[in-house]
């Protein structure tokens, strides 16, 4: 069984499939059989806009892969994550 390659030190918010740090978001990408294939990293400085809609947080960013959607269990968690991103964005 493959172990998770990322460290949990410094995690400000853990959403299961993604983690918020002080300068980036790490998003787990799963393979065909369900294991974690890779981890995508999005830096806060690359985010051009963020919006909360119900239990989802929508990002628009610069670069090739422009749109990201993070799913939360509660709307309060999405608001909390947006607050973390806004407070740590340079």
């Amino acid at each position: 069984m493959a172990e998770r390659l990322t460290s949990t030190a410094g995690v400000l918010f853990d959403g299961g499939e993604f983690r918020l740090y002080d300068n980036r978001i790490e998003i787990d990408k799963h393979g065909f059989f369900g294991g974690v294939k890779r981890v995508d990293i999005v830096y806060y400085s690359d985010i051009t806009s963020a919006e909360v809609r119900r239990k989802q947080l929508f990002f628009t960013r610069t670069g090739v892969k422009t749109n990201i959607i993070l799913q939360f269990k509660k709307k309060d968690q999405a608001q909390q994550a947006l607050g973390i991103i806004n407070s740590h964005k340079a």
Side-chain angles (χ1 to χ4, degrees), residues 58-59 77 81:
F58 292 87
F59 294 111
Q77 292 174 337

Side-chain angles (χ1 to χ4, degrees), residues 12 14 22 32 34 36 39-40 62-63 66 74 78-79 87 89:
L12 299 176
D14 189 354
D22 60 347
F32 185 72
V36 175
V39 176
D40 286 348
T62 60
T66 56
K74 297 179 181 178
Q79 292 286 347
S87 66
K89 191 169 178 176

